[in-house]
Amino acid sequence: MTDAPIIAQKAPYAIECEAGKSYFWCACGKSQKQPFCDGSHKGSSFTPVKYDATESKRVFFCGCKHSAKSPLCDGSHKTL
Ligand code: FES
Ligand code: FES
């Protein structure tokens, strides 16, 4: 078990989110369905982070898994 997330990619994922829908962002980095959780975190200390879309718009989800504002990208990927 490790507390360091895997860097899925050092860039955000741009996703067109739909108002009223909930999304589960992968915090561990292991999911094969980035940026979303596919259950691969099981057995680790990670759990997905829920994102409730209040409006339909493009959202930039963190791909590096090191954002301080997860599940969204805050630019931290530039320092990795
Ligand atoms: Fe990464 Fe679920 S697969 S948090
Ligand atoms: Fe993680 Fe930007 S992709 S902070």
Side-chain angles (χ1 to χ4, degrees):
M1 194 185 286
T2 173
D3 287 320
I6 289 166
I7 297 170
Q9 67 174 25
K10 288 186 182 177
Y13 292 90
I15 304 289
E16 303 291 342
C17 287
E18 271 181 59
K21 274 199 175 183
S22 293
Y23 299 82
F24 291 87
W25 174 77
C26 168
C28 71
K30 284 191 202 160
S31 174
Q32 297 300 309
K33 294 182 182 165
Q34 294 296 332
F36 302 121
C37 173
D38 71 353
S40 298
H41 62 271
K42 286 198 183 84
S44 77
S45 56
F46 292 98
T47 51
V49 177
K50 191 178 177 208
Y51 174 81
D52 294 314
T54 53
E55 53 183 315
S56 294
K57 65 171 182 183
R58 182 176 297 175
V59 174
F60 293 89
F61 287 98
C62 171
C64 74
K65 313 303 178 185
H66 286 71
S67 173
K69 292 183 183 163
S70 66
L72 306 180
C73 171
D74 71 350
S76 295
H77 60 270
K78 291 178 192 141
T79 64
L80 293 172

